Amino acid sequence: MARTLNYRGGGLPFPPSLLFRNLASGASDRVFAPMDRGGFGPRGARNRLRIGGFVCCTGSPGMWGPAATSIAQLAVADINRRGGILGREIEFSVYDAGGPLDDVLDRAEQAIASDEVDLIMGLHTSAVRVALRDLITSSRIPYIYTPVYEGGERTPGVIAIGETPRWQSRPSIHWLAEAKRASRWYLIGSDYVWPWQSHRAVKRYIKETGGEVVGEEFVPVGEDNHEAHLARIRAAKPDVVLISLIGTDSVTFNRAFADAGLAATTLRFATCFDETALLGIGADKTENLFCASGYFPGVGSQAGDDFRDRYRAMFGPFAPPVGSCSESAYEGFCLLEAAASRAGTLEMRPLLAAADNLVYRGPRGPVTVRSGHARMPMYLAEADGLDFRVVRAI
């Protein structure tokens, strides 16, 4: 059987070697088999479970594509080695969730109508989620959305399990106010729904500490010239710049921020951010940079250590770095396995009911899902070169 990845998009922006290392190992046997269609009948009645992974492989958030796809492959291998989901081996296909939304919608329609996927796993921006959710759920296909997001997703059929501002930003803002005496905040984010809604919440949390917002702006996705933004930040003299720029936009901003000499005097706090972004910024440009997340490799739990060991064994020492944004792909599969085991079926309604008020365990530790949202251990960390040093649990 050919071990290939079924990819739907405009061409992989990274070499297949980044995705598939050590494919001759037993752990990878029969993970992906998109060309083997034998035994398939109508959706839900096959001997394999078809999962469509909508992952940003292009555009600003595409920098997480290699790691997210590799981590999804690891999750599939782990589950298939245990016998699959309710006895059905997983067949995983990746669809590019980057680029124009109309193109992503076309891919989703193909995934549902032509490829007959049984479930959608989403690791992409909230703008894509908002565009896809009605199409997916109206087709009675469960939609598990894994990354950090703005909160408030209540569409029947969608389970969002990422970090939200209430549990991620609020305690971090309070800590920075108390420990670093931060009171003046400047907010800069990409111009779409996640930063819009997150900033609304963040302003309330800053007000709780007695602080003030001295500036706010939203930057078109894909913008890499930050000279004007930095001039406004310098003039406002904030104690902290809260960064909700996405993907490579955050990388270029943070590089320019340090090059402008602001890193030594001004704190930075980011949420959709991880070791992949640190690698892009460079070790010498991460001074006074803080991040909050449900996952850091340095937390040191047994589950997290085991996860990283399996990842390295499967993809080798030069695999894309694992961080919170890409690791969330693994969490989505952990949730699916637990909910399906509890429901005893993969039908949408009982599966979603089983996923409510559910506790599952993965690399992040115990995660509780209620009403389509997740509570998990949360940590505040400070950049230390190309790694994060956890400051405290929050």
Side-chain angles (χ1 to χ4, degrees):
M1 179 183 301
R3 301 186 189 100
T4 57
L5 171 64
N6 190 10
Y7 173 77
R8 307 287 186 177
L12 284 170
F14 35 79
S17 60
L18 285 179
L19 298 179
F20 306 111
R21 295 185 184 273
N22 301 331
L23 283 185
S25 68
S28 64
D29 285 351
R30 297 178 62 85
V31 175
F32 297 117
M35 304 309 295
D36 183 359
R37 300 295 188 186
F40 289 172
R43 178 181 286 120
R46 318 178 198 92
N47 60 354
R48 292 204 185 103
L49 176 67
R50 291 181 184 168
I51 296 180
F54 275 74
V55 180
C56 286
C57 299
T58 53
S60 295
M63 71 178 197
W64 288 300
T69 306
S70 297
I71 288 168
Q73 182 182 0
L74 173 62
V76 171
D78 286 347
I79 292 172
N80 283 349
R81 189 165 49 245
R82 292 192 290 269
I85 301 286
L86 301 181
R88 292 170 64 185
E89 188 177 67
I90 296 173
E91 175 190 313
F92 183 69
S93 300
V94 172
Y95 301 79
D96 186 12
L101 288 177
D102 285 346
D103 292 347
V104 182
L105 279 166
D106 287 344
R107 290 174 201 133
E109 289 175 350
Q110 174 188 330
I112 294 167
S114 300
D115 301 340
E116 295 187 335
V117 297
D118 298 292
L119 182 140
I120 298 291
M121 194 80 69
L123 196 148
H124 46 65
T125 66
S126 286
V128 173
R129 187 191 79 254
V130 170
L132 292 185
R133 60 191 178 189
D134 288 343
L135 169 67
I136 295 170
T137 57
S138 65
S139 301
R140 301 189 61 77
I141 294 174
Y143 182 13
I144 299 175
Y145 183 71
T146 69
V148 55
Y149 84 115
E150 67 280 359
E153 177 57 77
R154 293 183 174 83
T155 305
V158 180
I159 307 172
I161 61 171
E163 301 96 327
T164 58
R166 171 66 179 83
W167 307 108
Q168 182 184 31
S169 296
R170 186 172 185 249
S172 303
I173 289 168
H174 278 258
W175 184 86
L176 288 167
E178 295 167 7
K180 300 293 184 179
R181 300 176 184 253
S183 63
R184 295 171 59 83
W185 293 74
Y186 197 104
L187 316 181
I188 183 167
S190 297
D191 194 10
Y192 74 99
V193 62
W194 167 62
W196 298 338
Q197 298 299 328
S198 295
H199 285 195
R200 290 180 62 184
V202 159
K203 289 174 186 176
R204 295 196 303 270
Y205 309 148
I206 291 171
K207 187 176 181 180
E208 290 173 357
T209 69
E212 62 176 323
V213 175
V214 297
E216 179 184 25
E217 57 185 300
F218 296 101
V219 180
V221 175
E223 177 64 70
D224 61 4
N225 184 347
H226 302 289
E227 184 176 345
H229 314 138
L230 294 172
R232 288 188 285 270
I233 290 170
R234 190 186 298 277
K237 298 180 179 179
D239 300 315
V240 186
V241 176
L242 185 143
I243 303 165
S244 48
L245 297 165
I246 190 70
T248 55
D249 298 3
S250 182
V251 169
T252 58
F253 173 82
N254 278 286
R255 283 181 189 161
F257 190 93
D259 289 340
L262 289 168
T265 60
T266 309
L267 303 176
R268 288 172 282 175
F269 172 63
T271 49
C272 189
F273 198 88
D274 63 8
E275 286 75 7
T276 303
L278 289 182
L279 189 63
I281 293 167
D284 60 338
K285 301 182 190 299
T286 60
E287 184 180 6
N288 286 321
L289 174 56
F290 292 83
C291 178
S293 173
Y295 174 83
F296 288 104
V299 168
S301 69
Q302 184 64 52
D305 291 346
D306 289 347
F307 163 73
R308 290 200 315 279
D309 288 346
R310 295 196 309 278
Y311 181 77
R312 289 171 184 152
M314 190 167 187
F315 294 101
F318 304 109
V322 175
S324 62
C325 297
S326 54
E327 186 278 333
S328 73
Y330 198 95
E331 299 292 318
F333 284 94
C334 292
L335 166 69
L336 172 62
E337 186 176 30
S341 176
R342 186 180 189 184
T345 178
L346 287 162
E347 291 296 321
M348 180 170 165
R349 185 170 294 179
L351 181 68
L352 295 174
D356 195 27
N357 200 24
L358 172 71
V359 179
Y360 74 84
R361 292 183 176 272
R364 300 187 182 210
V367 179
T368 301
V369 181
R370 287 196 181 97
S371 301
H373 306 281
R375 285 290 310 276
M376 68 194 77
M378 199 77 65
Y379 307 93
L380 178 66
E382 182 175 6
D384 182 10
L386 297 180
D387 296 305
F388 278 108
R389 175 179 56 82
V390 174
V391 175
R392 60 177 295 170
I394 55 176

